[in-house]
Amino acid sequence: MKIPGSRLAAALVGGALLASSLGAQGVTTAAIAGTVTGQGGAPLAGAVIAATHVPSGTKYGTVTRSDGRFYLGAMRVGGPYEVTVRAIGFEPKTLSGINLELGITTDLAFTMNPTLVRLDAVAITAEGGQMSSARTGASTTVSGDALSAFPTIGRTITDFTRLTPQATGFGSFAGLDNRFNNISVDGSYFNNSFGLSGQPGGRTGVSPIPLDAVDQLQVAIAPYDVRQGNFTGAGVNAVTKSGTNEFSGSVYTVQRDQSLVGRKAGDVSFDPGTFTFKQFGARLSGPIIRNKLFFFANYEGDGYKAPGTTFLANTGGQPVAGNTTRVLASDMTAMSTFLQQKFNYATGPFAGWNLETPSSRIIAKLDWNVNEKNKASLRYIQLDSRSDNPVSNSSSLGFGSRRDNLNSMSFQNSGYAIMENIRSLVAEWNS
């Protein structure tokens, strides 16, 4: 069914507004909290707090309350940040190199010195986010540095969610099925709506977004936080990268085949079969207007190919053993010819054919620093994927297994393909 462009645009905008108002059950930002005191531990009220995200020049500001405490929320994850405190009658104090983690409030404490007293040592302390007083439950945060450094074969986020102590299997946490999780990307629901897999792309076995586009990843187990919900397993929350004041880009390729797989585990031999995997990707980000407007774009395409069958038809008189079946090659050829001539149906080969899984994914993002109190972003994700599958193995009709074995063979086109395509548009306003 074709949708007119105007209706499609309206649907996308409506979906984005609905996601922002009703469906945003994921955390996309970080925060800083702390205290400012003078000598003797007396709280300083009205001290000005200014935090700057150094790579992009994004600024956040607030003042301390009567008890000397302050809070800066809805901040961009990562860093480094530079936090400066100014108060009348006291020397300004600056703390640099602060990196913020997704969904974590980082605690800082500043001790200010009067302007008439000059000390070589500055009493500034900072407590990391892992010991944050605002923590709402067990959670694991995987930083961008860890995503870049840790090994991964599948190049999917599930390779990193296993770092969570409560992980019990492929996408499973605390013993619950992975379909009980809630996956969000940039605060928007990103679950598999069909229900046959725990995440988008799961039915075709591909990653829904490029791994190079993920900035930070968080797995929350039973958080006491009204911002997170809609799950009984775990909340898997990812935020994507944004542009900075510096242009940055990369071009990468990943390839593997059976020659890179081990063939023995101790004294036990292992045959990995024949397969190939090739992936190509490119990423580019930078400023449109320095300190104001930024872009990020990432494309990734890959293809997996593996034998659909290793069984061979019998040419006549051969023993039925190994991968040689009792099915005669002459019978398979005759059947294929009959279907082509009678019904114009192409069966494809019955031996030596492959199963393929091609996919491509795109992410594009714009970030706008409206002012110190308002930040906006617009993000688009597209996934196109297809997975070839052999003939169904259903035995409901009483015929037993219909897949290739010593007693039966199938044609390539007797199988089916699963397609999983995604279009996701999300607008976010942090104020």
Side-chain angles (χ1 to χ4, degrees):
M1 179 180 67
K2 294 185 178 180
I3 303 176
S6 59
R7 295 184 182 179
L8 178 60
L12 290 174
V13 173
L17 294 176
L18 181 62
S20 63
S21 60
L22 299 178
Q25 293 275 341
V27 181
T28 63
T29 58
I32 290 178
T35 58
V36 179
T37 59
Q39 287 187 326
L44 289 181
V48 177
I49 313 297
T52 302
H53 182 259
V54 177
S56 66
T58 307
K59 297 181 182 297
Y60 306 85
T62 188
V63 296
T64 57
R65 301 190 296 266
S66 58
D67 58 0
R69 295 185 177 276
F70 67 90
Y71 178 82
L72 286 170
M75 300 180 70
R76 182 170 169 171
V77 299
Y81 275 86
E82 186 176 88
V83 181
T84 300
V85 180
R86 290 182 172 86
I88 297 176
F90 294 87
E91 294 180 349
K93 302 300 179 187
T94 299
L95 185 60
S96 303
I98 300 173
N99 285 277
L100 304 185
E101 294 185 0
L102 175 62
I104 299 297
T105 300
T106 299
D107 294 329
L108 304 178
F110 293 85
T111 300
M112 306 294 286
N113 297 318
T115 55
L116 298 179
V117 179
R118 307 187 71 82
L119 301 176
D120 293 331
V122 178
I124 303 176
T125 61
E127 298 177 7
Q130 296 300 320
M131 299 300 294
S132 170
S133 60
R135 201 174 184 87
T136 61
S139 65
T140 300
T141 301
V142 184
S143 66
D145 291 339
L147 290 169
S148 300
F150 289 174
T152 169
I153 295 178
R155 290 184 59 79
T156 64
I157 61 175
T158 52
D159 287 342
F160 298 92
T161 57
R162 296 173 185 175
L163 298 173
T164 304
Q166 295 84 3
T168 56
F170 185 78
S172 174
F173 302 91
L176 294 177
D177 188 276
N178 59 13
R179 286 171 289 186
F180 288 97
N181 299 332
N182 180 58
I183 299 176
S184 64
V185 176
D186 294 329
S188 173
Y189 288 152
F190 211 64
N191 298 313
N192 189 308
S193 57
F194 198 69
L196 292 182
S197 178
Q199 69 173 21
R203 285 178 292 162
T204 51
V206 302
S207 174
I209 58 177
L211 186 61
D212 262 29
V214 179
D215 193 354
Q216 288 195 23
L217 181 68
Q218 182 191 56
V219 179
I221 308 292
Y224 296 91
D225 189 337
V226 295
R227 298 173 299 173
Q228 302 188 54
N230 198 41
F231 62 90
T232 56
V236 181
N237 189 19
V239 293
T240 56
K241 294 178 180 177
S242 299
T244 66
N245 280 329
E246 300 294 331
F247 285 98
S248 174
S250 67
V251 177
Y252 54 92
T253 181
V254 178
Q255 299 188 39
R256 67 177 186 270
D257 56 31
Q258 67 279 355
S259 63
L260 300 175
V261 179
R263 296 182 177 273
K264 296 196 70 175
D267 295 330
V268 180
S269 298
F270 169 72
D271 183 6
T274 302
F275 68 92
T276 58
F277 174 81
K278 296 180 179 180
Q279 183 180 82
F280 171 82
R283 169 178 55 84
L284 182 64
S285 64
I288 299 175
I289 303 175
R290 289 183 62 84
N291 298 329
K292 196 72 173 179
L293 187 62
F294 312 92
F295 76 93
F296 176 89
N298 196 170
Y299 166 81
E300 199 170 79
D302 54 50
Y304 177 76
K305 183 184 297 185
T309 181
T310 57
F311 285 95
L312 301 175
N314 202 310
T315 58
Q318 292 179 287
V320 180
N323 64 338
T324 301
T325 70
R326 66 175 67 253
V327 181
L328 294 177
S330 57
D331 290 343
M332 298 295 289
T333 302
M335 174 63 74
S336 179
T337 302
F338 172 80
L339 293 174
Q340 177 68 54
Q341 294 176 348
K342 187 71 175 178
F343 302 102
N344 197 29
Y345 172 71
T347 64
F350 54 84
W353 50 274
N354 293 317
L355 294 173
E356 299 185 20
T357 304
S359 67
S360 64
R361 54 200 69 87
I362 299 172
I363 179 171
K365 189 176 182 182
L366 289 174
D367 289 272
W368 179 26
N369 292 335
V370 184
N371 51 47
E372 288 192 7
K373 293 186 177 181
N374 295 277
K375 311 292 186 293
S377 67
L378 181 67
R379 186 265 291 154
Y380 174 74
I381 288 177
Q382 176 176 320
L383 169 68
D384 293 297
S385 63
R386 189 194 84 240
S387 176
D388 293 337
N389 290 268
V391 62
S392 171
N393 201 37
S394 172
S395 58
S396 59
L397 299 179
F399 298 122
S401 174
R402 292 186 287 173
R403 290 187 179 173
D404 291 7
N405 53 54
L406 292 179
N407 298 311
S408 65
M409 291 192 71
S410 60
F411 295 102
Q412 179 181 20
N413 293 342
S414 298
Y416 62 99
I418 294 178
M419 292 186 292
E420 187 161 3
N421 303 323
I422 296 173
R423 306 292 185 271
S424 172
L425 178 65
V426 174
E428 181 178 8
W429 187 284
N430 283 315
S431 180

